[in-house]
Amino acid sequence: MSDDRFVFQEESDNIPPESPFNTDSYKPGKILTVDDDINYQKSLLYSLRDLVIKGKPVEILTANSAAEAARVLTQHDDIAIILLDVVMEQDDAGLRLVDTIRYVQGNALIRIILLTGQPGVAPRKEVMHKYDINEYWNKSEIDHDTLKSVIAANLRSWHSMYELEQARIGLQMVVDASRHLASKYDKKSFIQVVLKEIGYLIGGKNELTLCVAQVDSDNSYEKASFIAGVGISGVRPGEHLPDSLCDEFGQLCEHALREENHQFNHNRSVLYFCGNNEHSYCYMVLVKARQNLSDYHIHLLQVFSENISSGFMQLSLVNQLSKLAYQDTELRINNRNWLLRELNTMNTSDLNESELIILEIDQYDSRVLSFDEHSLCEAIKAIYLNINNTLKHSLAIARISVDGFAVLYNKQKAPTDSTLISLINQTYEINGYTIRYSFTIARIELALIQDLPALQQLHLARSLLCYARQQGNGVISYQPGYRDHLVRDYQYLSDLMTAIENQEFYLAFQPQVDIHNNHPVGLEALIRWKKNGKVILPGEFIPLAERTGLISKIDPIVVRLVADAIHHLKREGYQLPISFNATVKDISNPEYIQLVMDLIETENISSELFDIEITETQAMESYQDIHPVLEKLHDAGIHISIDDFGTGYSSLSHISQLAADTIKIDIAFVTHLDKDKASQKVVEMVINLASIFGFSVIAEGIETELQKQELIDRGCHIGQGFLYARPMPIDELLVWLGNNRTA
């Protein structure tokens, strides 16, 4: 591949945009380029050869396949950016690597930039919507300057997130370790220890009056808040100091606050302790003994006060760390760490009475790119306030990700689905922007998943949200069987990928017959999967294949198997058209269409023996996109059938121009044909339409002689169903054909 897509400049021009990082401690992450085009990769390496961020060179790693890249990722934990080609050893190798990085390795920090030379294989809109990718570029679009700007910007983003993540991990460890110190870092218990130890040091048989008070920086000692005391009555925590103490200790308190130091006078002492690093408040310990304190006792108090001072500062630090580790800095509400801790510490009774509601903003990343940071921040605040105002009576609200919130509820006070639905679509006017957003919402009774650790509970909730989006549901409730369904689907998906690689599929054929004389006129090919000697029907794996995109791998296998079957039948003296299913994605995929055309040409197959079936719903919903392709196939002599006709909604103008030969009456209407007038009317309508527009008609699912006669009476000539034959492997089909050979 030519390198002329990059325009190289002098090394002195390699000045990346300004970075907020400290250049002394800044260590740039590594860049991994993944591409099986060696020449293009050399172009990248040459373009980035002198890349320097804040005076430090950036290390570039390379891999020539997705498998090699996966190994490199396990060996380097400081890779910041991947420049990733989509099509390598397999068409979707790059996209599968993305899933491996995000969901197998669990790396959410790494920045993934797609560089594709075949945008048709991975369309930008579809890829950005479906995969967790940061940027998408066509190789022909990105030059030397653009590449370096993109790299510099993504390195800054990665480093900010990396530092924040490392800081959070450290803070979490500090907070959790501090909690193991028990009462020493609990304010109430700590102060009780202070009072007890001071009494022990100087009390003995001496009667003592002890008081701990808190004073804000802008207040006098008269407004100090009483916290705890010994030998004091008539005052409760939070109230101002009683007048008697103010009179006795007033002068000492003034000196202590002014000088920020301990004060001693005969039998009275005021110990001064700064509450935090900002000096926004302080603590004073008022001590009164019956006898004057000796120098010895004053010295003991001064030494012990150092420990007390450290303790108060540690209390402040723990509180600050708790806020950082367990509080969202933007909204100042609970964060994901807090929720995980809360879920892990809930007892069985609490779990049985609680419900977790997860709300996730749809397509958040695209909104991030559409608005400035300040406006987006204001929008998030507005969204949170709307949630808080709408979901009243909650136990707590936490922000668990940049685009997600969690709400804990007592089940008895949980909101209705209609209340949640009211949150799904909202519009805000912020800083001149109109910001629209939608939510997908999952609700889970914690009693149903209480056997799972908190982290797995959140993973399950996230999976439920993805499933809701696939199903087009705004609000979804967790059902007990969902987890088993998820595990089963995961195993099925793994097995299905293996089946595709090992070609574990075969075709079963159901004859299409002239219902007047039972002679075969065609066949429908139905895919089957044989796993460990057991036949798995399409209804069990095709929906999963469609959801995961694997159907695009299976359908070409079907086409090749149909071609093989046509050859096999021809050798036995049969030339019958074989119909097989195709999706809109297949019809829209030039590679699939080319495969069909190539098989006709290279395998010397008569084009009329290929009969492509597409459902009515798909044909109508994607009419503008697929109509030209269907015309091309039809002009090449390939038959086109419209499956499940009557179940969708068709425009007469589209039907009249549709490049198709056959419409198939759906089994739902044939099944009730002998007793349901609505089904009879639909069948008559379909047959009349076919007659008007010149289509042939095939009725599916004929099982009884009565159904057959009803179809004959209405002018239908071709059908298929158990009345004639069940789907069968090709060897059984040949026996059936021998017994039903056309006279």
Side-chain angles (χ1 to χ4, degrees):
M1 183 178 292
S2 173
D3 296 343
D4 58 5
R5 71 189 67 195
F6 294 111
V7 178
F8 298 107
Q9 299 182 354
E10 296 298 325
E11 292 190 18
S12 59
D13 290 333
N14 181 24
I15 304 175
E18 283 297 313
S19 168
F21 305 146
N22 182 321
T23 57
D24 291 334
S25 62
Y26 176 64
K27 178 182 178 181
K30 299 171 183 175
I31 298 173
L32 172 62
T33 72
V34 186
D35 202 311
D36 61 351
D37 186 336
I38 305 302
N39 289 329
Y40 184 81
Q41 197 165 70
K42 287 180 178 178
S43 299
L44 287 176
L45 293 173
Y46 186 78
S47 181
L48 298 174
R49 71 195 186 284
D50 56 351
L51 183 62
V52 175
I53 302 294
K54 287 299 178 183
K56 297 187 178 182
V58 178
E59 184 178 352
I60 314 293
L61 307 172
T62 62
N64 301 126
S65 68
E68 184 182 353
R71 288 193 296 272
V72 173
L73 285 164
T74 62
Q75 297 166 359
H76 299 267
D77 61 0
D78 55 350
I79 293 176
I81 298 174
I82 294 183
L83 300 175
L84 177 63
D85 191 15
V86 176
V87 180
M88 289 178 287
E89 65 265 40
Q90 294 175 331
D91 287 352
D92 64 343
L95 298 178
R96 289 175 66 179
L97 178 62
V98 172
D99 279 344
T100 298
I101 293 169
R102 297 301 194 213
Y103 303 116
V104 177
Q105 297 181 350
N107 191 331
L109 295 181
I110 199 166
R111 311 288 290 180
I112 300 177
I113 302 173
L114 281 191
L115 296 176
T116 180
Q118 301 182 48
V121 176
R124 183 192 305 268
K125 183 177 180 181
E126 179 180 336
V127 167
M128 294 298 289
H129 175 74
K130 186 174 180 181
Y131 294 88
D132 190 0
I133 291 166
N134 301 104
E135 293 197 35
Y136 181 115
W137 290 87
N138 291 339
K139 291 179 179 178
S140 60
E141 293 176 351
I142 189 163
D143 58 17
H144 173 83
D145 291 339
T146 303
L147 178 66
K148 288 196 171 181
S149 295
V150 168
I151 292 293
N154 278 277
L155 278 174
R156 289 199 304 274
S157 297
W158 174 82
H159 197 274
S160 294
M161 293 186 294
Y162 179 81
E163 285 194 330
L164 181 59
E165 183 66 16
Q166 294 303 309
R168 282 201 179 280
I169 292 172
L171 291 173
Q172 178 100 36
M173 293 173 64
V174 170
V175 171
D176 290 340
S178 299
R179 290 185 180 278
H180 291 311
L181 298 177
S183 62
K184 291 184 181 179
Y185 293 93
D186 172 77
K187 181 178 177 180
K188 181 178 179 180
S189 300
F190 177 80
I191 287 176
Q192 292 299 324
V193 171
V194 168
L195 295 174
K196 178 181 177 182
E197 293 300 323
I198 288 177
Y200 176 77
L201 285 173
I202 65 173
K205 298 180 179 180
N206 210 346
E207 293 182 4
L208 290 175
T209 299
L210 294 171
C211 170
V212 180
Q214 181 175 325
V215 186
D216 293 335
S217 60
D218 56 349
N219 287 331
S220 63
Y221 69 89
E222 290 97 338
K223 294 184 179 180
S225 298
F226 176 80
I227 298 177
V230 174
I232 301 172
S233 60
V235 59
R236 292 179 295 181
E239 295 180 347
H240 292 321
L241 291 179
D243 292 340
S244 59
L245 286 179
C246 289
D247 292 340
E248 281 195 78
F249 290 89
Q251 189 174 10
L252 288 177
C253 287
E254 285 183 358
H255 289 164
L257 291 172
R258 183 172 61 249
E259 299 174 14
E260 297 184 353
N261 206 342
H262 311 309
Q263 300 296 318
F264 301 96
N265 184 15
H266 304 302
N267 67 328
R268 292 189 299 275
S269 305
V270 174
L271 307 178
Y272 173 91
F273 306 101
C274 183
N276 59 13
N277 289 327
E278 292 77 26
H279 294 262
S280 59
Y281 64 93
C282 67
Y283 296 102
M284 292 191 303
V285 180
L286 282 55
V287 183
K288 179 184 177 183
R290 188 170 63 176
Q291 298 176 354
N292 292 343
L293 297 180
S294 66
D295 290 342
Y296 171 74
H297 286 112
I298 292 174
H299 180 68
L300 286 179
L301 279 180
Q302 288 175 325
V303 172
F304 183 59
S305 291
E306 293 301 314
N307 293 325
I308 297 174
S309 180
S310 297
F312 276 124
M313 294 303 291
Q314 286 172 329
L315 280 175
S316 173
L317 178 61
V318 168
N319 289 333
Q320 291 179 37
L321 292 176
S322 292
K323 286 183 179 180
L324 288 172
Y326 295 113
Q327 188 178 85
D328 180 76
T329 55
E330 194 172 29
L331 297 178
R332 298 190 181 280
I333 63 174
N334 300 321
N335 65 10
R336 184 172 182 267
N337 289 336
W338 177 90
L339 180 63
L340 289 171
R341 186 185 67 181
E342 192 71 11
L343 292 174
N344 275 324
T345 56
M346 290 175 73
N347 58 39
T348 302
S349 176
D350 290 338
L351 289 168
N352 287 335
E353 295 299 321
S354 300
E355 181 173 332
L356 179 65
I357 297 174
I358 305 291
L359 306 94
E360 190 171 86
I361 301 172
D362 298 324
Q363 298 178 337
Y364 176 81
D365 288 341
S366 62
R367 287 167 171 77
V368 171
L369 298 174
S370 303
F371 304 103
D372 63 71
E373 184 177 354
H374 178 69
S375 297
L376 193 64
C377 181
E378 291 301 309
I380 291 295
K381 290 178 181 177
I383 288 170
Y384 161 68
L385 290 175
N386 189 32
I387 293 172
N388 192 39
N389 292 334
T390 303
L391 301 184
K392 299 175 181 177
H393 311 300
S394 67
L395 299 174
I397 298 179
R399 188 181 183 188
I400 58 175
S401 63
V402 292
D403 57 353
F405 295 86
V407 187
L408 273 174
Y409 262 101
N410 183 290
K411 285 196 300 185
Q412 304 303 318
K413 297 182 179 180
T416 62
D417 279 356
S418 60
T419 300
L420 295 178
I421 290 171
S422 71
L423 282 168
I424 287 178
N425 293 293
Q426 299 290 333
T427 302
Y428 292 102
E429 297 291 335
I430 296 178
N431 299 332
Y433 293 115
T434 298
I435 298 181
R436 296 180 175 86
Y437 77 91
S438 62
F439 271 123
T440 300
I441 303 174
R443 58 191 312 166
I444 305 174
E445 292 186 24
L446 292 178
L448 299 176
I449 57 172
Q450 60 180 296
D451 58 316
L452 294 178
L455 188 58
Q456 288 191 29
Q457 291 176 353
L458 289 191
H459 285 326
L460 185 63
R462 181 68 185 274
S463 170
L464 193 61
L465 288 170
C466 293
Y467 180 73
R469 288 195 179 98
Q470 291 170 357
Q471 300 300 312
N473 295 332
V475 177
I476 190 170
S477 295
Y478 176 80
Q479 301 299 325
Y482 176 74
R483 200 189 337 166
D484 292 337
H485 165 78
L486 191 65
V487 173
R488 185 172 63 251
D489 271 6
Y490 179 81
Q491 184 59 52
Y492 250 96
L493 182 60
S494 176
D495 292 344
L496 195 54
M497 293 171 68
T498 301
I500 292 171
E501 293 175 1
N502 297 339
Q503 300 287 309
E504 296 176 5
F505 301 101
Y506 71 95
L507 296 180
F509 301 89
Q510 186 171 42
Q512 297 165 340
V513 304
D514 184 328
I515 60 178
H516 294 280
N517 56 28
N518 295 348
H519 290 158
V521 296
L523 303 166
E524 180 176 8
L526 303 165
I527 191 169
R528 298 290 187 264
W529 172 18
K530 197 165 188 177
K531 175 188 172 188
N532 299 327
K534 178 185 176 183
V535 175
I536 302 174
L537 298 178
E540 295 184 56
F541 66 90
I542 290 297
L544 178 62
E546 290 175 340
R547 290 200 306 272
T548 58
L550 288 179
I551 193 69
S552 63
K553 301 289 186 184
I554 294 175
D555 285 350
I557 294 174
V558 171
V559 178
R560 292 187 177 92
L561 290 175
V562 167
D564 292 342
I566 289 172
H567 286 306
H568 194 159
L569 290 169
K570 185 177 181 180
R571 289 194 297 270
E572 299 296 329
Y574 301 100
Q575 291 202 74
L576 295 170
I578 300 178
S579 64
F580 52 92
N581 291 319
T583 66
V584 167
K585 286 187 177 180
D586 293 331
I587 302 300
S588 304
N589 183 355
E591 292 186 5
Y592 179 86
I593 299 302
Q594 192 61 48
L595 171 64
V596 173
M597 304 300 283
D598 287 347
L599 285 172
I600 290 173
E601 182 177 350
T602 60
E603 299 286 330
N604 193 26
I605 295 174
S606 298
S607 58
E608 64 269 15
L609 296 181
F610 271 168
D611 188 345
I612 296 178
E613 288 191 11
I614 185 168
T615 66
E616 177 195 12
T617 300
Q618 288 184 314
M620 293 302 107
E621 287 180 349
S622 306
Y623 178 82
Q624 298 298 334
D625 294 328
I626 68 171
H627 179 63
V629 184
L630 293 179
E631 280 193 327
K632 175 184 176 182
L633 294 170
H634 197 257
D635 291 343
I638 297 170
H639 281 232
I640 307 295
S641 294
I642 306 302
D643 198 11
D644 299 339
F645 200 85
T647 59
Y649 174 78
S650 298
S651 164
L652 287 178
S653 63
H654 286 169
I655 292 177
S656 64
Q657 300 177 30
L658 197 62
D661 303 279
T662 304
I663 51 181
K664 301 183 74 174
I665 301 174
D666 187 72
I667 186 174
F669 304 113
V670 175
T671 299
H672 304 291
L673 188 58
D674 55 343
K675 53 188 176 183
D676 180 46
K677 292 189 178 297
S679 295
Q680 294 170 2
K681 293 293 184 184
V682 171
V683 170
E684 291 171 2
M685 177 199 71
V686 172
I687 292 173
N688 289 335
L689 281 175
S691 176
I692 293 170
F693 297 122
F695 299 130
S696 61
V697 176
I698 297 177
E700 296 183 296
I702 305 174
E703 296 186 359
T704 67
E705 289 289 342
L706 189 54
Q707 292 168 353
K708 168 186 169 182
Q709 191 57 49
E710 292 282 351
L711 289 165
I712 291 175
D713 292 344
R714 287 168 174 77
C716 182
H717 303 291
I718 302 173
Q720 65 185 89
F722 291 173
L723 179 63
Y724 306 103
R726 293 176 178 271
M728 62 193 100
I730 195 164
D731 291 340
E732 294 180 23
L733 173 67
L734 290 171
V735 174
W736 186 92
L737 289 173
N739 294 331
N740 294 271
R741 186 182 294 271
T742 303

